[in-house]
Amino acid sequence: MIDPTDPKVLCRLYLNAVLPCLADLTHEDPAARAIGADVDASIVLCVLGGPAVTLHWRHGEIAWAAGFGPKPSVILAFLSDRHLNAFFDGKKWAAPLPLWGGWRVGLLKRFSALAARLEQVMDGAPEVIENADGRRLHARLTLITVGLGLQALAQGDQAVRRILGTLPPGLASFSIAGESKARVWFDHGSPGQQAGWGDPPRRPDVIVQFADIGVAYDVMREQIDTLAAVGAGRIRVDGLVPLADGLNFAMERLRVYLKR
Amino acid sequence: MDRNINRFRRSHELFARASEVIPCGIYGHASPAAALPGAFPYYAERALGSRYWDVDGNEYIDYMCGYGPVVLGHQDPRIEEAAARQQRDALCVNHPAAVMVELAECLVEMVDFSAWAVFGKNGSDMTTWCVQVAREHTQRRKILKVAGAYHGIDPWCTPGHAGLIPEDRTHIHEFTWNDPDSFDRLLARFRGEVAGVIMTPFHHPVFKPSEMPAPGFWAHIEAACRREGIVLILDDIRAGFRLDLRGSHRVFGFEPDLICFCKAIANGHALSAALGRRELRLAASRVFLTGSYWNSPPAMAAALACLKILRAEDVPAKLRATGEALMQGLVQTGAKHGYALQPSGPPAVPFLTFVEDASSRRQQRFCAEVALRGAFLHPHHNWFISAAHGPEDVRQTLAMADEAFGVLRGEGL
């Protein structure tokens, strides 16, 4: 469905679906982990009067948390959803306002480097996808973004809400066989349309599982005909088929938002 | 999937080739993704009577009947001969053949409210055209339909999500089956703007049990349409000629203004039809209608032969009896294994689901196990009975179901 995008939804996608990928990136990617090997800090990104997230950065790894964490090292504020979106879109004029910790130039430089690495992996830069490790990272991070992004889309995007309105309620799980912690879930019909990364809170009503990282990569890069892959057994769909089918189209909206 | 590798070797080989040159490998309702990937055959080779064989030589009692069109049984010689005879004279020519007139006369005589008939090839041809006729007749824009009802693949009604723009459905509004209040709310909101209401005689959404009309529901819709000058379109494509040869509205005690037929009209030959009241004749004459093959005579000859047999042999009564025996038997067999089953829809177009099976996993496993034993029951779509199904088919199916229920019980499902 060709519908306009909503800046509020895009802002939540960046905060709640893209930024959590830093956790997986710093866990799985030695290059990303090395950037903050000796860092012990927390960074808040917030929209003034709007949502906030906190990134706890310790021993090279990031932990993402919703909301405004206690005693942050740095607070990066944006005046509006559009301001944050412009920053994530790479607009140089859209630098955040350092409400606190602006003097921690070293930390901010390293965070910029980490963000650049995330962008490189998520965009599938040639130097990333030229090797198997890079393709694996790209597939994992895209899966996480897509899964977590369903919540923001379900809450605010009209096209997705229209699709979800036709789907049965239920919990859907998306995972890559043989990959640890490469699993996301979305509970359609739950209060707030919950989504998560990791093990779902109960047995999923439908399980979508990619046979291996190669299939997942092809799906995330739109290099595969998914229905043909289901028929060939490369993607397993077990359970409530219409929910998986509808969510697949909802996930397509993410590409429109993130232009990937 | 692994368990069936040898059983479906040829199917999978063909699918691999197809996936190289055909989007989805197999698209639409026959896509493996819509059924049970790996547990069902992907390609069929031949069919006869109540049975069909896949390309690996596996035989199935066919309870989908080509998703409905086969009402007398596969390859019924009386129909094939009528079509072949007509084809020897003409397959595709510049003008309609006489058989088109005969067929229209036959249909108009069978469906008593109708005064005219037109023909297409698929159900969508007719539903979309009828929507246009309703708009032309009333000079209004809005169309009301039931949420979750299937009326074809055109943008105004496709169940798909891709390739659409919001404007496709600006004037399409949905109400809830068996909920007169939700219908009335739309009527009140769009008073004087509604051109047509399109509905199936009973509600048969995919992935869900079918729903029969509640007492008074159809009467309510019909009365509102008469009062408001709205064209009532009956999409009888799936059930038409299986429930009542005069149209399925006869079963439920109302009369539409337009009716669409397709599936059971020609026992598998490509043909659809729309019939309407005399008052809509002028609008029907104004709305352009054509297609490359729509005047092709063989399918019309097949339809004429099919309709005569349906009437002469009272096929709807036979379908009902067979469907009742099958559904009662399945419910009893399931109960023996401790399963509560919910039969739904009319016996001639039945469906069966497990009670308390929100994820459909039990249903899917059951249909997979039955398929393994030689009967094709779809887990997500209503089934179809044909006149070729007999007591022996039902007996064999129940024996397969008995084993399948046992397997499920053993798996703790």
Side-chain angles (χ1 to χ4, degrees):
Chain A
M1 188 74 81
I2 302 157
D3 284 70
T5 56
D6 180 339
K8 183 176 175 183
V9 172
L10 180 58
C11 173
R12 271 87 186 145
L13 285 172
Y14 282 130
L15 291 175
N16 301 329
V18 173
L19 285 179
C21 289
L22 285 169
D24 197 56
L25 180 73
T26 52
H27 187 71
E28 299 289 334
D29 179 28
R33 197 159 52 247
I35 294 170
D38 57 349
V39 168
D40 185 357
S42 60
I43 300 171
V44 167
L45 291 95
C46 64
V47 176
L48 294 177
V53 300
T54 304
L55 303 172
H56 300 282
W57 201 0
R58 180 174 289 182
H59 306 312
E61 294 204 24
I62 293 270
W64 175 97
F68 211 106
K71 297 181 180 176
S73 314
V74 172
I75 301 173
L76 300 176
F78 299 88
L79 297 172
S80 65
D81 295 333
R82 290 178 191 278
H83 181 196
L84 182 142
N85 297 342
F87 172 71
F88 275 83
D89 197 31
K91 302 287 191 298
K92 293 201 185 310
W93 55 264
L97 310 174
L99 289 190
W100 178 257
W103 59 88
R104 302 190 65 169
V105 178
L107 174 64
L108 289 171
K109 274 188 176 173
R110 285 210 249 185
F111 184 63
S112 292
L114 183 63
R117 177 63 178 160
L118 177 69
E119 186 179 5
Q120 194 181 35
V121 172
M122 292 202 66
D123 284 352
E127 59 272 30
V128 171
I129 61 171
E130 70 183 5
N131 63 66
D133 286 344
R135 290 194 292 275
R136 174 175 172 272
L137 275 176
H138 175 80
R140 287 180 63 100
L141 266 51
T142 309
L143 175 72
I144 293 166
T145 306
V146 165
L148 295 179
L150 277 172
Q151 184 177 34
L153 292 170
Q155 289 175 343
D157 182 67
Q158 289 309 310
V160 168
R161 290 169 67 87
R162 200 162 44 232
I163 291 169
L164 292 179
T166 68
L167 305 183
L171 192 149
S173 152
F174 302 84
S175 60
I176 305 170
E179 285 285 312
S180 69
K181 246 203 139 187
R183 186 176 195 184
V184 288
W185 54 268
F186 174 69
D187 195 358
H188 173 46
S190 64
Q193 298 279 45
Q194 297 300 309
W197 172 27
D199 290 333
R202 58 185 164 85
R203 189 186 184 205
D205 297 294
V206 63
I207 294 170
V208 179
Q209 188 174 57
F210 307 107
D212 53 45
I213 197 78
V215 178
Y217 176 80
D218 287 344
V219 170
M220 300 305 159
R221 299 284 293 177
E222 289 198 298
Q223 293 175 352
I224 196 171
D225 178 337
T226 52
L227 287 179
V230 170
R234 299 180 72 202
I235 301 173
R236 184 171 70 92
V237 181
D238 170 44
L240 201 53
V241 176
L243 180 59
D245 184 47
L247 291 180
N248 182 43
F249 281 95
M251 289 168 163
E252 292 297 322
R253 281 290 284 169
L254 197 79
R255 295 183 198 281
V256 178
Y257 273 93
L258 299 181
K259 300 180 182 68
R260 289 193 165 87
Chain B
M1 177 76 81
D2 296 344
R3 173 182 186 191
N4 287 310
I5 277 178
N6 289 325
R7 180 176 170 78
F8 298 129
R9 183 176 297 280
R10 179 84 177 120
S11 257
H12 291 164
E13 285 171 0
L14 282 170
F15 190 74
R17 283 170 52 196
S19 297
E20 296 295 322
V21 291
I22 299 171
C24 308
I26 301 170
Y27 44 80
H29 64 273
S31 165
L36 295 176
F40 274 2
Y42 292 179
Y43 294 89
E45 188 161 88
R46 64 192 175 91
L48 188 66
S50 63
R51 314 275 170 139
Y52 82 99
W53 288 260
D54 68 22
V55 289
D56 289 281
N58 301 304
E59 178 181 343
Y60 304 91
I61 303 172
D62 184 4
Y63 290 107
M64 290 308 289
C65 298
Y67 286 79
V70 176
V71 66
L72 297 175
H74 291 285
Q75 299 286 326
D76 186 291
R78 299 164 293 182
I79 306 302
E80 297 316 302
E81 174 50 30
R85 193 168 49 242
Q86 183 68 54
Q87 186 166 328
R88 282 194 290 274
D89 290 340
L91 170 60
C92 188
V93 284
N94 299 329
H95 314 282
V99 68
M100 184 176 184
V101 183
E102 284 182 67
L103 179 58
E105 288 170 346
C106 173
L107 284 166
V108 166
E109 191 262 323
M110 283 173 74
V111 180
D112 53 10
F113 77 86
S114 72
W116 51 265
V118 299
F119 302 100
K121 282 294 173 193
N122 285 289
S124 293
D125 301 337
M126 296 294 100
T127 54
T128 295
W129 182 78
C130 282
V131 162
Q132 288 182 268
V133 170
R135 285 173 166 157
E136 174 63 24
H137 179 72
T138 60
Q139 295 296 297
R140 299 171 181 170
R141 298 180 298 180
K142 302 289 184 187
I143 299 293
L144 309 188
K145 67 181 281 286
V146 171
Y150 180 75
H151 297 296
I153 60 158
D154 290 320
W156 69 270
C157 61
T158 176
H161 305 291
L164 302 175
I165 56 174
E167 289 81 358
D168 289 328
R169 298 186 185 180
T170 299
H171 299 298
I172 306 294
H173 304 278
E174 295 187 332
F175 60 99
T176 305
W177 177 261
N178 274 345
D179 182 353
D181 291 342
S182 73
F183 175 76
D184 289 347
R185 281 194 294 275
L186 286 180
L187 271 192
R189 184 175 161 201
F190 299 117
R191 177 140 289 130
E193 293 184 77
V194 179
V197 176
I198 184 165
M199 296 168 66
T200 54
F202 67 98
H203 192 39
H204 40 66
V206 284
F207 299 107
K208 291 178 184 171
S210 297
E211 291 180 62
M212 300 300 270
F217 181 57
W218 265 118
H220 183 89
I221 301 288
E222 182 186 30
C225 288
R226 298 281 171 265
R227 189 179 65 242
E228 306 279 342
I230 295 166
V231 175
L232 179 54
I233 306 166
L234 181 62
D235 175 347
D236 208 10
I237 284 162
R238 204 174 293 190
F241 304 126
R242 271 192 162 84
L243 307 189
D244 192 305
L245 296 180
R246 299 167 297 178
S248 299
H249 55 284
R250 282 294 192 167
V251 177
F252 302 110
F254 70 98
E255 249 183 29
D257 299 302
L258 295 168
I259 187 167
C260 306
F261 293 112
C262 184
K263 290 188 185 295
I265 197 171
N267 203 46
H269 289 266
L271 192 78
S272 56
L275 284 70
R277 285 185 190 280
R278 186 169 303 284
E279 297 90 317
L280 289 157
R281 166 70 185 263
L282 200 57
S285 71
R286 289 178 182 148
V287 179
F288 193 62
L289 175 69
T290 194
S292 294
Y293 304 101
W294 289 15
N295 293 326
S296 181
M300 295 182 185
L304 199 55
C306 183
L307 293 172
K308 285 176 180 170
I309 294 168
L310 290 174
R311 183 145 61 175
E313 299 182 1
D314 193 8
V315 167
K318 182 164 193 276
L319 302 182
R320 185 166 57 247
T322 305
E324 282 173 353
L326 177 69
M327 300 314 281
Q328 285 170 9
L330 286 171
V331 169
Q332 287 167 4
T333 308
K336 196 175 85 180
H337 291 269
Y339 289 113
L341 295 157
Q342 180 187 358
S344 61
V349 193
F351 196 37
L352 187 77
T353 46
F354 286 77
V355 174
E356 295 184 2
D357 181 32
S359 71
S360 299
R361 284 198 182 93
R362 208 176 266 166
Q363 174 90 355
Q364 291 164 357
R365 280 292 296 126
F366 172 69
C367 291
E369 286 299 323
V370 171
L372 195 63
R373 288 160 176 77
F376 191 74
L377 301 173
H378 202 292
H380 306 137
H381 188 293
N382 71 258
W383 309 338
F384 295 92
I385 304 295
S386 82
H389 288 107
E392 182 57 17
D393 293 310
V394 173
R395 190 195 65 75
Q396 289 182 22
T397 306
L398 296 180
M400 295 174 201
D402 192 19
E403 289 184 15
F405 284 126
V407 171
L408 263 64
R409 186 52 73 201
E411 292 176 352
L413 265 177

